[in-house]
Amino acid sequence: MMTRVFIPKEVDMCLSKKNDQSSVKELVESATMIESDELATIHCQRVEGFLNLLSDVITQLGFGVRGYVPVFMSLLLTICERTESMRKVSSSITAGGNSNDDAERSEEEDANTSAWRERISTIRSLCFQRISDLVVKFASSCDFASYCDRLWGSLKLGIEKLPSSVINAEKPPSLLLLLESFSSHPALIQLLCQNEQSVEAVFNCIATKSRHPVVAVALSFVENLLTEGCTIEDGLLPSTVDGAVGWELVQRHVHLLVRQFTERLESGTPESLHKADPRKESNLAQRELDILCRVSELLVAEKTEEEDVSVLENLSSLLVPFLFFERKAGEFNQRNVLGILERIIPRIGHDVALSHLQTIAKLLGPNKGNPGIADREVRQKIASVITAIARHEEEDGKSKSAVLQNVCKSLARLCASHHKHIEECNFDEVLPVLNGLGGPPEEDGGWAFYVHSKSKADADPRKLTPLVYCCFHFIYDEDGVLSRGALKALKSLVSAAAAIGKNAWLQMIETTFISSVRAGLTSHDANARRAFVLLMAEVSRSFASYDNDNLYGDLSILTRDDDPDLDFFLNVTHVQVHRRGRAFDRLRKLLASSNKCPFSVHSLSNVLLPLAIHPVYEFNGGKAEEAYAVEAVATVGSIAKNLPWGKYQNALWTALTQLSRKRDQERFIIAMICALMDAFHFEVLLDSGSPPGSPP
């Protein structure tokens, strides 16, 4: 009954015998003889009703209709051909104006044609959905290869216009869903191989102006190709699976896919996506990174053209910010991004690859006052990316960075896991490297030993930053052996830089080293903060003769190698609370006895003030702690008298904001605010004129 309307008029529909199954089957199969022109005489509502009913038949009867799949496919393709031909006519009429060729048609035919034109989009969409239902349901039991020519021929125009049709579309087009269904089974992927234009069209749908539902379907298409219709387990390379062809389709168009991902990353979040669910967008971004990571594996075997190199270079620059601590990316996303960078760095220019070294190396260090990335697998991934940079040849193709290669060998040992317990540190690998760095700089394993090179360009101490950041990370380790070894290694670096005295070494200390020490002084981890205080003492002692405020040489007057009991840095980190209080007392007296402040603004605001504020915020009761906090409050007031307006205002504002956050320390925070107010030393004019540098 479903196909009765499609049986040609010349076919006799009378059965010679009742319940003659063979005659019924022949009669049903005769419906496949109908052609596109003859289909136009059937009212569109009957066609639409057939398509709706077919959905229920496939769902309810399932494999019971397997014998009629050829009939249904033939009818669906005929309907598809009819709708596509009418769309072509509509396009030509729109482009060239109306014609009078149909003037001789009857009124009934005109009404039927008009109804077809009104419902053509709905019928076309239903037709695509039914084809999708059939191929997904019977992919493993029916061979659809014989329908390829008719299918791709009727879809040619739609596939060409697919990328433009998805722009700002609220829902994915039915054609895109149909192509996605062809990627859901290995047998159907074979059909996509006969029309790679469809693969390109779907890849182009991953565009900057595509909305979440469209991109989600396109990503599923790519995932299905990479996993051969979800038949390849995670962790297996598609190229190692016999008979898998989906990954080959992706590989042949891998640069197009990478370019589309790059454009989406470069554009950020399109305006059309601002109303989308943030959770869905987050999941979509995670899927994109996951797929891009797997796709990047195919770049290794693919030759990179010159125009594609610039795309990969741009992609690497866009991916690196995903690793920044402020992005708060999860470990899964971090591993994906690092995996992508590891694969594309060998394909980009040397200068671009080397430009990422400092940023990637910084990931190995602490994040502000916290240890930073603790996951050992992620740290090993970071080491692998730096190793990829080290292996990158110079532009002339002849020389490699020997310094960076040696650094990477030691870096791999610092990130090594225990052979029995993956999450534990391998002390047999880590300790020899730390001991070597903590020994004499010129000897094997020392800091200066790493940068010995015949090439002056290669002997750059900035290439030591991965090891430097690793040592800073170990400062936070609960194991005293590692933290003490890292502290000794960092002290040795300061001594080596001061002894060598070259600008490159001083610049590394001034930027990489001291910025990490300053961040460590704000840490809430008392043990780690103690190590950073001792490092600052080492810096001030080593660079006491340098006229550079950024090297904090003026703090050397607080060190006393001849009498450790009077050394400010040793006492302020002492285990006895009263010794710490006496350190602040001597500092306050030194500031009060000097007509001119002996310390620079950098030393006051970046070192001494944070050290004096910590006892106030960390007070937890006890008479000894109370006396210590009182000394700290008085010291804050003495330091504030020598601060410029900007630093003074920031200190006062910070204290006011902490008042509501630290109820248990409220008493001493109020006392510190009063000390800051008492230290107000700026000239205030009531008239309109104000001298430069005074507060408003």
Side-chain angles (χ1 to χ4, degrees):
M1 294 297 292
M2 288 175 58
T3 60
R4 179 177 181 179
V5 68
F6 300 106
I7 298 176
K9 296 178 181 179
E10 60 270 15
V11 177
D12 185 7
M13 299 181 61
C14 296
L15 299 177
S16 58
K17 297 180 181 180
K18 292 184 178 180
N19 300 325
D20 186 356
Q21 295 297 327
S22 61
S23 299
V24 172
K25 187 174 183 180
E26 290 178 3
L27 191 60
V28 172
E29 290 177 350
S30 65
T32 61
M33 298 167 55
I34 192 170
E35 296 181 356
S36 177
D37 294 338
E38 190 174 356
L39 185 65
T41 62
I42 303 174
H43 199 278
C44 64
Q45 290 183 352
R46 290 189 173 186
V47 176
E48 192 172 340
F50 164 76
L51 294 172
N52 287 320
L53 183 58
L54 181 57
S55 175
D56 295 332
V57 169
I58 296 173
T59 303
Q60 299 298 328
L61 299 182
F63 282 91
V65 297
R66 180 182 178 278
Y68 297 100
V69 169
V71 177
F72 292 146
M73 278 297 298
S74 179
L75 287 174
L76 291 172
L77 291 176
T78 302
I79 298 172
C80 186
E81 290 168 351
R82 174 60 184 168
T83 57
E84 294 303 307
S85 64
M86 292 190 70
R87 284 166 58 87
K88 288 182 181 179
V89 172
S90 300
S91 301
S92 62
I93 290 176
T94 304
N98 295 328
S99 63
N100 298 322
D101 295 341
D102 300 329
E104 298 180 357
R105 290 184 180 179
S106 64
E107 294 182 1
E108 183 179 354
E109 289 176 335
D110 287 338
N112 187 29
T113 302
S114 177
W116 265 93
R117 295 195 189 283
E118 290 178 359
R119 304 294 297 172
I120 188 172
S121 296
T122 302
I123 294 174
R124 178 175 181 265
S125 179
L126 289 173
C127 187
F128 289 161
Q129 291 175 27
R130 298 298 83 80
I131 294 176
S132 177
D133 293 341
L134 281 175
V135 297
V136 171
K137 188 74 173 180
F138 303 101
S140 58
S141 58
C142 295
D143 184 10
F144 293 95
S146 58
Y147 305 104
C148 278
D149 292 340
R150 291 186 64 189
L151 176 66
W152 298 127
S154 61
L155 297 182
K156 182 178 180 182
L157 181 61
I159 290 174
E160 291 176 356
K161 295 183 177 181
L162 180 61
S164 60
S165 67
V166 301
I167 295 176
N168 292 326
E170 295 286 349
K171 297 180 179 179
S174 54
L175 178 56
L176 180 60
L177 293 172
L178 173 61
L179 295 176
E180 191 261 339
S181 67
F182 277 109
S183 67
S184 62
H185 193 276
L188 299 177
I189 294 176
Q190 297 286 348
L191 306 184
L192 291 173
C193 295
Q194 299 185 32
N195 188 347
E196 296 193 17
Q197 184 183 6
S198 61
V199 178
E200 294 182 16
V202 177
F203 286 1
N204 281 314
C205 290
I206 307 175
T208 57
K209 295 184 179 180
S210 297
R211 298 198 178 188
H212 174 273
V214 173
V215 178
V217 174
L219 293 180
S220 297
F221 179 86
V222 181
E223 287 177 333
N224 289 340
L225 292 181
L226 292 173
T227 59
E228 201 67 17
C230 300
T231 59
I232 299 178
E233 298 180 0
D234 292 340
L236 289 178
L237 290 175
S239 56
T240 62
V241 179
D242 294 335
V245 295
W247 70 274
E248 294 180 351
L249 282 175
V250 178
Q251 187 178 44
R252 286 198 285 270
H253 306 283
V254 64
H255 291 293
L256 168 63
L257 188 57
V258 170
R259 189 179 296 109
Q260 294 300 111
F261 280 124
T262 303
E263 290 177 359
R264 281 183 60 82
L265 290 172
E266 191 172 14
S267 64
T269 304
E271 295 181 0
S272 58
L273 296 177
H274 285 173
K275 297 181 181 180
D277 188 342
R279 290 174 297 180
K280 290 183 178 180
E281 290 305 318
S282 176
N283 293 335
L284 183 67
Q286 182 169 318
R287 285 184 67 192
E288 289 187 62
L289 289 176
D290 184 28
I291 292 174
L292 187 55
C293 180
R294 285 187 280 175
V295 167
S296 64
E297 296 175 358
L298 304 179
L299 289 170
V300 178
E302 186 72 11
K303 183 178 179 181
T304 307
E305 302 294 338
E306 185 175 351
E307 60 180 294
D308 295 320
V309 171
S310 61
V311 175
L312 295 179
E313 290 177 348
N314 192 24
L315 176 61
S316 66
S317 300
L318 293 170
L319 286 174
V320 168
F322 276 88
L323 300 171
F324 291 168
F325 291 115
E326 53 268 23
R327 294 294 291 266
K328 298 181 180 179
E331 293 176 0
F332 179 79
N333 286 336
Q334 288 177 336
R335 285 194 290 268
N336 277 337
V337 172
L338 290 168
I340 298 168
L341 291 173
E342 183 183 357
R343 295 181 184 95
I344 68 175
I345 279 178
R347 317 302 293 269
I348 63 179
H350 173 76
D351 291 339
V352 178
L354 200 59
S355 67
H356 297 314
L357 175 61
Q358 300 301 319
T359 305
I360 300 297
K362 195 172 183 180
L363 300 173
L364 294 168
N367 174 27
K368 297 180 180 179
N370 301 312
I373 298 175
D375 185 84
R376 201 162 297 280
E377 183 180 353
V378 176
R379 296 184 67 82
Q380 290 169 353
K381 281 278 188 181
I382 296 172
S384 298
V385 174
I386 296 175
T387 302
I389 297 175
R391 291 174 179 171
H392 212 291
E393 294 185 355
E394 301 284 354
E395 288 183 343
D396 58 10
K398 296 180 181 179
S399 59
K400 292 185 179 181
S401 175
V403 172
L404 198 53
Q405 294 249 3
N406 293 331
V407 167
C408 289
K409 292 178 182 178
S410 297
L411 181 61
R413 298 179 67 184
L414 290 176
C415 299
S417 300
H418 195 275
H419 62 281
K420 291 184 178 180
H421 307 285
I422 298 178
E423 292 301 322
E424 293 185 8
C425 175
N426 190 337
F427 289 91
D428 294 336
E429 295 287 341
V430 175
L431 290 180
V433 177
L434 289 180
N435 292 335
L437 294 173
E442 298 293 339
E443 293 186 5
D444 189 4
W447 294 102
F449 174 81
Y450 279 98
V451 295
H452 282 318
S453 177
K454 297 179 180 179
S455 171
K456 292 183 179 180
D458 193 27
D460 187 352
R462 289 179 300 177
K463 294 179 180 178
L464 298 174
T465 51
L467 300 180
V468 176
Y469 284 121
C470 263
C471 290
F472 277 121
H473 174 76
F474 283 130
I475 290 289
Y476 290 86
D477 199 282
E478 296 179 356
D479 191 294
V481 176
L482 291 178
S483 58
R484 288 193 298 271
L487 177 61
K488 184 179 179 182
L490 291 171
K491 285 184 176 181
S492 177
L493 174 62
V494 174
S495 302
I500 297 173
K502 295 182 179 179
N503 289 334
W505 284 86
L506 298 179
Q507 186 179 8
M508 185 193 68
I509 294 294
E510 185 176 338
T511 55
T512 302
F513 190 92
I514 290 183
S515 62
S516 297
V517 173
R518 283 175 49 191
L521 294 177
T522 64
S523 175
H524 297 293
D525 186 333
N527 292 328
R529 187 169 68 241
R530 177 182 181 276
F532 285 109
V533 172
L534 296 178
L535 283 175
M536 183 57 72
E538 187 68 25
V539 170
S540 63
R541 186 183 296 108
S542 300
F543 297 100
S545 60
Y546 285 79
D547 186 16
N548 186 345
D549 292 345
N550 294 324
L551 294 175
Y552 298 95
D554 53 343
L555 291 175
S556 60
I557 60 176
L558 298 176
T559 61
R560 293 292 298 270
D561 294 334
D562 57 330
D563 190 354
D565 290 339
L566 299 179
D567 190 298
F568 170 79
F569 295 104
L570 290 178
N571 281 276
V572 84
T573 57
H574 203 278
V575 67
Q576 295 178 340
V577 179
H578 72 277
R579 293 280 294 270
R580 285 180 259 161
R582 273 192 281 173
F584 283 130
D585 179 58
R586 282 193 289 269
L587 174 61
R588 192 175 69 257
K589 290 179 180 178
L590 175 63
L591 291 171
S593 63
S594 304
N595 294 328
K596 183 180 179 181
C597 181
F599 306 112
S600 66
V601 174
H602 286 73
S603 298
L604 290 171
S605 60
N606 297 334
V607 180
L608 298 179
L609 185 61
L611 292 179
I613 289 177
H614 273 299
V616 178
Y617 291 153
E618 296 176 355
F619 173 75
N620 56 8
K623 291 185 178 180
E625 288 283 346
E626 183 174 345
Y628 179 41
V630 170
E631 286 289 350
V633 168
T635 305
V636 169
S638 298
I639 294 173
K641 292 179 181 179
N642 299 282
L643 292 177
W645 169 249
K647 301 292 185 181
Y648 175 87
Q649 182 188 36
N650 183 64
L652 182 59
W653 178 254
T654 301
L656 290 170
T657 57
Q658 294 295 325
L659 187 59
S660 60
R661 300 175 184 174
K662 300 181 180 294
R663 295 292 186 183
D664 295 338
Q665 292 81 26
E666 184 180 76
R667 170 190 167 195
F668 291 100
I669 294 177
I670 292 175
M672 184 172 66
I673 293 173
C674 293
L676 288 169
M677 297 295 292
D678 291 339
F680 188 89
H681 59 283
F682 305 99
E683 182 180 359
V684 179
L685 299 179
L686 299 179
D687 57 2
S688 58
S690 298
S694 62

